[in-house]
Amino acid sequence: MLIKKLIITIVNINGKIIGHPIVSKNRYSAWFNYLILYIKAKILGLRSIYCWINKLKIIIDIEDWYFARNAYLKINEFNESCFTVHFLKEKDIFVDIGANVGHYTLLASGISGCRTIAIEPIPLTFKKLKQNISLNNLNSKTTLYNIGLGSTEGKLFFNVVENNALSHVSSENYSDGIEIPSTTLSSLLVKIKPKMLKIDVEGYEYEVLKGANNLLREPSLEVLIIEINEHGTRYGVSEEVTMRYIESFGFKPFAYLPFKRTLKAITIPNRKSENIIYLKNENAVRMQLLKGQKIIINSRLWI
């Protein structure tokens, strides 16, 4: 059983390295960085501060394994992360829903320089989000909410798992679960007009979207990056239902090509990523992407 689990882990990690547009060119270095990270986090149980892109710093430990991919992939969720930096400007407002420990919030406020409103319901994860924000002196550019989001006001019960990126809303009363106050995005952000939303809530996206219908109608909202996968079936919602709801507000799906800073219209059945970039005004977004900040990997590589 242990050998099988090890083989699956090696195959998964190797697949991420091979499929990454930067580290695939230097796989041995990526594997070395992964092994160092694994030893520090999972064997020694150490928390470490990692010097990330554009001189940002991030705190990594065993419970932040998805976030920790930045330490050996350079940038996790590469295309969508690059889009965020290239698109957002200092005057913009970005809303990070399901902020986790701050990947997109750090990109938006730490590199693009915009104002970010970050929402993370799990208290321990929220504490780590605050630490990453403070570590990079971004308190003045960010507003953080430790609250759940849904289609109505009330409370949500969360199943909290070891890898905090996978914690999710649950109807079952797990022994390690917690109850969190919740609201709707439209109620939380009254009179605030964001330029871009990112939603990653482990299958609960449809409920969050239903509670954001006022914002989704706003002409000022140009971009929605959202994770859509089979996790929605936990709540009886198919991918198609969520996608149709988004498109009813005038959004269309695209993929981003970071090295060319250009967009490619996609058909949902043929998409290559669970993260989908939805746009209302393709031409306006294309123009803004050309003027965005650079992501600096090192002194010889930037995007």
Side-chain angles (χ1 to χ4, degrees), residues 199-263:
I199 305 177
D200 181 355
V201 289
E202 295 303 307
Y204 208 63
E205 287 79 13
Y206 183 58
E207 292 299 316
V208 172
L209 288 166
K210 286 198 297 181
N213 48 19
N214 290 346
L215 282 176
L216 294 172
R217 293 190 188 99
E218 281 287 345
S220 57
L221 180 64
E222 296 185 7
V223 177
L224 168 64
I225 296 182
I226 186 167
E227 182 184 62
I228 300 179
N229 54 32
E230 72 282 356
H231 289 163
T233 57
R234 289 177 180 144
Y235 315 105
V237 179
S238 68
E239 294 182 356
E240 291 74 19
V241 167
T242 302
M243 292 169 184
R244 283 200 301 270
Y245 189 77
I246 294 168
E247 291 171 5
S248 72
F249 292 91
F251 288 96
K252 296 180 180 179
F254 288 83
Y256 185 51
L257 308 177
F259 295 105
K260 296 181 179 180
R261 293 206 181 197
T262 191
L263 296 158

Side-chain angles (χ1 to χ4, degrees), residues 41-56:
K42 291 208 168 186
I43 296 178
L44 301 178
L46 299 176
R47 296 186 77 199
S48 58
I49 295 177
Y50 176 75
C51 293
W52 195 27
I53 55 178
N54 292 64
K55 298 182 179 181
L56 290 171

Side-chain angles (χ1 to χ4, degrees), residues 148-156 182-184 187 204 207 210-211:
L149 289 178
S151 58
T152 59
E153 306 264 346
K155 293 182 178 180
L156 291 171
S182 68
T183 186
T184 67
S187 297
Y204 208 63
E207 292 299 316
K210 286 198 297 181

Side-chain angles (χ1 to χ4, degrees), residues 66 76-77 95-100 104 119-121 164-167 197-205 208 224-229 231 274-275:
Y66 277 64
N76 192 29
E77 300 192 0
V95 181
D96 188 358
I97 303 163
N100 197 260
Y104 282 91
I119 301 154
E120 171 53 47
N164 56 39
L166 301 179
S167 297
L197 304 181
K198 184 231 82 183
I199 305 177
D200 181 355
V201 289
E202 295 303 307
Y204 208 63
E205 287 79 13
V208 172
L224 168 64
I225 296 182
I226 186 167
E227 182 184 62
I228 300 179
N229 54 32
H231 289 163
E274 291 182 340
N275 292 315

